[in-house]
Amino acid sequence: MAFVSLKDEAKKIVGIETQPVYFGKVEVPPVAVFVVPPEVISLSEEGHEIAISWKAAEGAAKATVTSASLKLAAALVQRPVNATVSQEGAHRILKFGASVTVTRLVFTGLKIPAEGESGEIPLRQTSDLPADRRLVVSAADAAGNYYPMATAPASPQREMLPAPVGTAQFASSTLSFTGIKTDRIRLSLVSGGFPEDYEPKAFEVGSITAYADFGPTDCRVVDGADKALWSFPGELPATLPPAEIDLKIPLETALNDALSKGEAPAAVFRIQGGAEGKAQLWKGAFRGRLLQTVPGITTVELAGEPLPLPCFTSLPAEVPTAAVGDLTLRYSGIRLCAELNDAVPVRAASGTIVGSADVVRPLPSAHLEGLPLARIGLIGRAPQKCELALRLVRLVNGFPAETIGTETVMTVEPSPSFGLEWCTPKRVDTGGDSLGMAVRAVSGQFFWVKGDEDPLVKIAVYDDKPALQPVTLGGETLVQAGAEEIHLPGFSFPTAPFAGASPLLESLLFLTVDLSDLELRYDR
């Protein structure tokens, strides 16, 4: 299996990834393994702070956490340890009063007599030792028997067997070795290579200072209220694997407490321990999502013009990661004619003043498809309250020649802006050619916005079997709808419309649209 190195922006290798492997047509996908070095932190009663802060999302009042964890392990701190030094024969015995992990001895005035001549030989490093001389550190068992644990220089080996005694390093008047956990040690100067050949030799030393490795003590992880979430009384052994501390529930609780108070979603944890202790810390990803939920059912009655979702007064500028809810659509039996579906202008526009004389607007028969009229919408505005009379007519040379059905009177309230004014005519047959609509003012006046050629209208017809039409939200298609009721539980809505203002729901079909248990999710 092949591996590829994963590097960060500084080109430092932070992990490895396997290459895909194929067994016939079966692919074993790649697996990435990241190697992240720990952070070494100092402990105290006040504690090492871990602050988590998520970007707020307007309207989001709930947080869920999918991952939040720490790994904690001992980081050893080397400190001098109190020891009682005594002499037994040619040996020096160091008693510590309690079991500690000794790692080095620092000497002053370490020396031996010069052989065959007067004077002394100071010992500061391995090369100062005479041939066939070595410094040996031994540890005592419960019965008081001593066993050699480290020697400088290194012990000889028997053929392929490992060295019988660990190797110590002697330099700068310091004897360093792999940690020996004991309550006493014995320092000896010996001749001989193997332990069974050791013969103690006399030496002098001014002082011996022992140093030991100490792990952190009384470690615990607390929340912002100083409630313990994890603890390890006493010394945390370096031999233990990293402790995995799950913070999902505490983090979720803290984030939701902040949100309930109207504050930004944030939380603080602290890692505490005895003074002068250190620990290795691996911080996992604190991930989850903020949720904006709309409980119950939101109903929108689409009737020829786009409408915003009433459940949102405002939305964050941020696009949600997901938008999920139940979607139900029921057709009302009416639809807009696609070719007679003009938009309401938002700026100034030219138009025609409708007074007491008829203003005629042709209605091409091909656009009506012989279907009966259901709604007529005029686009414009009334400076003052007015009444308009509308009738369907047959046109001859562009002029009304025959009234079809009866005249319909509608009242228009004054408005400073253009809008859509609907009226519901009596149901009439639209078969035949040269159809049109004649509009006059019974009272007041109406400014009827004009397009390139004709005044602007929206015409809806009764249609029991409409062709499938898109239903859009914020310009993005949700579904293709027709006469059949549609129910889509757990529907995934497009997310782009849910940013900024409440999105507009729109369709040529007149529909009852129900959205239930809608939830916007913002990944963090």
Side-chain angles (χ1 to χ4, degrees):
M1 181 175 290
F3 295 87
V4 177
S5 296
L6 300 176
K7 300 181 180 181
D8 60 14
E9 294 179 355
K11 305 300 183 182
K12 180 181 178 181
I13 295 177
V14 295
I16 58 173
E17 182 177 27
T18 64
Q19 296 280 46
V21 176
Y22 295 88
F23 295 93
K25 293 184 178 180
V26 179
E27 177 187 354
V28 178
V31 176
V33 179
F34 290 87
V35 181
V36 179
E39 176 187 1
V40 178
I41 60 172
S42 297
L43 302 182
S44 64
E45 281 299 315
E46 182 179 349
H48 175 86
E49 183 178 284
I50 298 174
I52 298 101
S53 178
W54 285 0
K55 178 185 175 183
E58 181 183 354
K62 183 180 178 182
T64 62
V65 177
T66 55
S67 67
S69 64
L70 305 175
K71 285 187 178 182
L72 206 62
L76 297 177
V77 177
Q78 200 171 80
R79 295 198 299 266
V81 57
N82 291 330
T84 300
V85 182
S86 60
Q87 184 171 351
E88 291 184 4
H91 310 289
R92 300 297 188 277
I93 307 299
L94 285 77
K95 296 181 179 180
F96 307 114
S99 183
V100 293
T101 303
V102 187
T103 57
R104 64 187 173 113
L105 303 175
V106 178
F107 310 113
T108 61
L110 180 62
K111 55 190 175 181
I112 59 175
E115 293 186 3
E117 56 185 81
S118 61
E120 299 169 329
I121 301 174
L123 302 179
R124 299 186 182 88
Q125 56 197 14
T126 302
S127 59
D128 294 337
L129 289 167
D132 196 31
R133 293 288 188 275
R134 62 186 68 252
L135 289 172
V136 177
V137 177
S138 303
D141 62 12
N145 300 311
Y146 287 93
Y147 297 89
M149 303 295 293
T151 174
S155 177
Q157 293 181 246
R158 290 185 174 95
E159 298 182 353
M160 301 300 292
L161 296 177
V165 181
T167 301
Q169 305 296 325
F170 183 37
S172 303
S173 298
T174 300
L175 186 65
S176 303
F177 41 86
T178 302
I180 302 171
K181 190 169 182 63
T182 182
D183 64 350
R184 70 184 71 184
I185 61 172
R186 184 178 72 184
L187 176 67
S188 308
L189 178 70
V190 302
S191 63
F194 294 102
E196 64 269 22
D197 300 326
Y198 288 167
E199 291 186 11
K201 301 296 181 181
F203 67 93
E204 294 182 19
V205 63
S207 67
I208 305 175
T209 303
Y211 286 79
D213 283 342
F214 292 90
T217 58
D218 299 328
C219 296
R220 66 179 195 147
V221 177
V222 300
D223 62 13
D226 211 35
K227 175 185 176 182
L229 307 175
W230 173 89
S231 63
F232 194 100
E235 183 176 350
L236 179 62
T239 53
L240 288 183
E244 296 191 23
I245 304 161
D246 190 346
L247 297 178
K248 286 198 293 290
I249 293 176
L251 176 58
E252 189 170 296
T253 300
L255 294 175
N256 283 308
D257 284 347
L259 289 170
S260 68
K261 299 173 184 176
E263 300 171 354
V268 173
F269 300 99
R270 295 194 314 279
I271 303 173
Q272 299 174 332
E276 298 185 13
K278 291 183 181 292
Q280 299 180 82
L281 170 64
W282 292 263
K283 285 190 290 187
F286 295 90
R287 289 184 179 149
R289 58 177 62 99
L290 296 177
L291 305 176
Q292 180 172 4
T293 58
V294 181
I297 300 175
T298 299
T299 299
V300 180
E301 297 289 349
L302 280 183
E305 52 188 319
L307 291 176
L309 296 182
C311 51
F312 298 111
T313 54
S314 63
L315 285 165
E318 177 185 359
V319 175
T321 309
V324 179
D326 296 347
L327 176 65
T328 303
L329 301 98
R330 295 181 296 277
Y331 178 53
S332 304
I334 300 173
R335 68 168 175 84
L336 289 172
C337 295
E339 294 79 5
L340 296 171
N341 180 30
D342 297 322
V344 178
V346 295
R347 299 181 180 85
S350 60
T352 300
I353 302 296
V354 179
S356 57
D358 283 335
V359 177
V360 177
R361 205 290 187 184
L363 300 175
S365 300
H367 297 166
L368 297 173
E369 302 178 30
L371 297 170
L373 286 179
R375 303 282 191 276
I376 296 175
L378 306 182
I379 297 173
R381 72 179 188 88
Q384 295 88 30
K385 185 176 181 179
C386 71
E387 288 187 334
L388 301 178
L390 295 83
R391 69 187 194 279
L392 192 64
V393 296
R394 299 271 182 207
L395 300 179
V396 176
N397 297 324
F399 294 96
E402 175 191 354
T403 298
I404 303 172
T406 58
E407 194 172 60
T408 301
V409 177
M410 61 184 291
T411 301
V412 180
E413 298 295 332
S415 173
S417 58
F418 299 131
L420 180 62
E421 304 294 339
W422 287 107
C423 75
T424 303
K426 290 185 178 180
R427 185 163 179 160
V428 295
D429 182 15
T430 60
D433 297 328
S434 302
L435 292 176
M437 180 175 59
V439 182
R440 63 183 178 86
V442 177
S443 64
Q445 292 181 329
F446 180 76
F447 182 83
W448 195 357
V449 178
K450 188 175 181 182
D452 294 337
E453 296 181 0
D454 300 312
L456 303 184
V457 294
K458 284 182 180 287
I459 303 296
V461 295
Y462 293 103
D463 188 354
D464 294 334
K465 298 179 180 179
L468 293 178
Q469 300 292 339
V471 180
T472 64
L473 182 68
E476 296 202 28
T477 299
L478 297 180
V479 293
Q480 297 284 339
E484 298 295 327
E485 179 175 324
I486 296 175
H487 179 61
L488 301 171
F491 180 73
S492 292
F493 292 82
T495 56
F498 293 98
S502 181
L504 294 177
L505 194 62
E506 187 172 9
S507 179
L508 292 178
L509 304 180
F510 282 41
L511 298 166
T512 298
V513 182
D514 290 335
L515 294 87
S516 56
D517 299 324
L518 182 60
E519 183 176 84
L520 304 185
R521 301 170 182 171
Y522 301 87
D523 280 1
R524 294 292 185 263

